[in-house]
Coordinates of all heavy atoms in Angstrom, one line a residue:
D67 N 13.6 2.8 -10.1 CA 14.5 3.1 -8.9 C 14.1 2.3 -7.7 O 14.8 2.3 -6.7 CB 14.6 4.6 -8.7 CG 13.2 5.2 -8.2 OD1 12.2 4.8 -8.8 OD2 13.2 6.1 -7.4
C68 N 12.9 1.6 -7.7 CA 12.5 0.8 -6.6 C 13.3 -0.6 -6.6 O 13.3 -1.2 -5.5 CB 11.0 0.5 -6.7 SG 9.9 2.0 -6.3
F69 N 14.0 -0.9 -7.6 CA 14.6 -2.2 -7.7 C 16.1 -2.1 -7.5 O 16.7 -1.0 -7.8 CB 14.3 -2.8 -9.1 CG 12.9 -3.1 -9.4 CD1 12.1 -2.2 -10.1 CD2 12.3 -4.3 -9.0 CE1 10.8 -2.4 -10.3 CE2 11.0 -4.5 -9.3 CZ 10.2 -3.6 -9.9
E70 N 16.7 -3.1 -7.0 CA 18.1 -3.1 -6.8 C 18.8 -3.2 -8.1 O 18.2 -3.8 -9.1 CB 18.6 -4.3 -5.9 CG 18.1 -4.2 -4.5 CD 18.5 -5.3 -3.6 OE1 19.2 -6.3 -4.1 OE2 18.1 -5.3 -2.4
S71 N 19.8 -2.7 -8.3 CA 20.5 -2.6 -9.7 C 20.7 -3.8 -10.3 O 21.2 -4.8 -9.8 CB 21.9 -1.9 -9.5 OG 22.5 -1.8 -10.8
G72 N 20.1 -4.0 -11.5 CA 20.3 -5.2 -12.3 C 19.5 -6.4 -11.8 O 19.8 -7.5 -12.0
S73 N 18.5 -6.1 -11.0 CA 17.8 -7.2 -10.3 C 16.3 -7.0 -10.3 O 15.8 -5.9 -10.5 CB 18.3 -7.3 -8.9 OG 17.5 -8.2 -8.1
E74 N 15.5 -8.1 -10.0 CA 14.1 -8.0 -9.9 C 13.7 -7.7 -8.4 O 12.6 -7.6 -8.1 CB 13.4 -9.2 -10.4 CG 13.4 -9.4 -11.8 CD 12.6 -10.6 -12.3 OE1 12.0 -11.4 -11.5 OE2 12.5 -10.8 -13.5
R75 N 14.8 -7.7 -7.6 CA 14.5 -7.6 -6.1 C 14.3 -6.1 -5.8 O 15.1 -5.2 -6.2 CB 15.8 -8.0 -5.4 CG 15.6 -8.1 -3.9 CD 16.9 -8.6 -3.2 NE 16.8 -8.4 -1.9 CZ 17.1 -9.4 -0.9 NH1 17.4 -10.5 -1.3 NH2 16.9 -9.1 0.3
L76 N 13.2 -5.9 -4.9 CA 12.8 -4.5 -4.5 C 13.8 -4.1 -3.4 O 14.3 -4.9 -2.5 CB 11.4 -4.5 -4.0 CG 10.3 -4.6 -4.9 CD1 9.0 -4.7 -4.2 CD2 10.3 -3.4 -5.9
H77 N 14.0 -2.8 -3.4 CA 14.7 -2.2 -2.1 C 13.7 -2.4 -1.0 O 12.6 -2.4 -1.1 CB 15.0 -0.7 -2.4 CG 16.0 -0.4 -3.4 ND1 17.4 -0.7 -3.1 CD2 16.0 0.1 -4.6 CE1 18.1 -0.3 -4.1 NE2 17.3 0.2 -5.1
S78 N 14.2 -2.4 0.2 CA 13.5 -2.7 1.4 C 12.5 -1.5 1.7 O 11.4 -1.7 2.3 CB 14.3 -2.8 2.7 OG 15.1 -1.7 2.8
D79 N 12.8 -0.3 1.1 CA 11.9 0.8 1.4 C 11.1 1.2 0.1 O 10.5 2.3 0.0 CB 12.7 2.0 1.9 CG 13.7 2.5 0.9 OD1 14.0 1.8 -0.1 OD2 14.3 3.6 1.1
A80 N 11.0 0.3 -0.9 CA 10.3 0.6 -2.1 C 8.8 0.8 -1.8 O 8.2 0.0 -1.0 CB 10.5 -0.6 -3.1
I81 N 8.2 1.7 -2.5 CA 6.8 2.0 -2.4 C 6.3 2.1 -3.8 O 6.8 2.9 -4.7 CB 6.6 3.4 -1.7 CG1 7.1 3.3 -0.2 CG2 5.1 3.7 -1.7 CD1 6.9 4.5 0.7
P82 N 5.2 1.3 -4.1 CA 4.6 1.4 -5.5 C 3.9 2.7 -5.6 O 3.1 3.2 -4.8 CB 3.6 0.2 -5.4 CG 3.3 0.1 -4.0 CD 4.5 0.5 -3.2
T83 N 4.2 3.3 -6.8 CA 3.6 4.6 -7.2 C 2.9 4.6 -8.5 O 2.3 5.6 -8.9 CB 4.6 5.7 -7.1 OG1 5.7 5.3 -8.0 CG2 5.1 5.8 -5.6
V84 N 3.0 3.5 -9.3 CA 2.5 3.5 -10.6 C 1.1 2.9 -10.6 O 1.0 1.6 -10.7 CB 3.4 2.7 -11.6 CG1 2.9 2.8 -13.0 CG2 4.8 3.3 -11.5
F85 N 0.1 3.7 -10.5 CA -1.3 3.3 -10.4 C -2.1 4.2 -11.3 O -2.3 5.4 -10.9 CB -1.9 3.2 -9.0 CG -1.2 2.2 -8.1 CD1 -0.2 2.7 -7.3 CD2 -1.5 0.9 -8.2 CE1 0.4 1.8 -6.4 CE2 -0.8 0.0 -7.4 CZ 0.1 0.4 -6.5
N86 N -2.5 3.8 -12.4 CA -3.3 4.7 -13.3 C -4.7 4.1 -13.3 O -4.9 3.0 -13.8 CB -2.7 4.6 -14.7 CG -3.3 5.8 -15.6 OD1 -4.4 6.2 -15.3 ND2 -2.6 6.2 -16.5
F87 N -5.6 4.8 -12.7 CA -7.0 4.3 -12.5 C -7.8 4.5 -13.8 O -9.0 4.1 -13.8 CB -7.6 5.0 -11.3 CG -6.9 4.7 -10.0 CD1 -6.0 5.5 -9.5 CD2 -7.1 3.5 -9.4 CE1 -5.3 5.3 -8.3 CE2 -6.4 3.1 -8.2 CZ -5.5 4.1 -7.7
T88 N -7.3 5.1 -14.8 CA -8.1 5.4 -15.9 C -7.6 4.7 -17.2 O -8.3 4.6 -18.2 CB -8.1 6.9 -16.3 OG1 -6.8 7.3 -16.6 CG2 -8.8 7.7 -15.2
Q89 N -6.5 4.0 -17.2 CA -5.9 3.2 -18.3 C -6.3 1.7 -18.2 O -6.5 1.3 -17.1 CB -4.4 3.4 -18.5 CG -4.1 4.8 -18.8 CD -2.6 4.9 -19.0 OE1 -1.8 4.2 -18.4 NE2 -2.2 5.8 -19.8
T90 N -6.2 1.1 -19.2 CA -6.4 -0.4 -19.2 C -5.2 -1.0 -18.5 O -4.1 -0.4 -18.4 CB -6.6 -1.0 -20.5 OG1 -5.3 -0.9 -21.3 CG2 -7.7 -0.4 -21.3
T91 N -5.3 -2.2 -18.0 CA -4.3 -2.8 -17.3 C -3.1 -3.1 -18.3 O -1.9 -3.0 -17.9 CB -4.7 -4.2 -16.8 OG1 -5.9 -3.9 -16.1 CG2 -3.7 -4.7 -15.7
N92 N -3.3 -3.3 -19.5 CA -2.3 -3.4 -20.6 C -1.4 -2.2 -20.6 O -0.2 -2.3 -20.7 CB -2.9 -3.7 -22.0 CG -1.8 -4.0 -23.0 OD1 -0.7 -4.3 -22.7 ND2 -2.3 -4.0 -24.2

């Protein structure tokens, strides 16, 4: 939901929230 519909472009108010500090980067 941070991305504009059908695009790789972020909404202007997008905030990253997917940070898992215990999993591998993969």
Side-chain angles (χ1 to χ4, degrees):
D67 62 325
C68 290
F69 298 93
E70 292 180 3
S71 182
S73 170
E74 289 184 359
R75 186 179 170 131
L76 286 175
H77 289 292
S78 61
D79 61 347
I81 295 177
T83 56
V84 182
F85 296 99
N86 192 335
F87 298 100
T88 60
Q89 293 183 331
T90 65
T91 314
N92 186 15

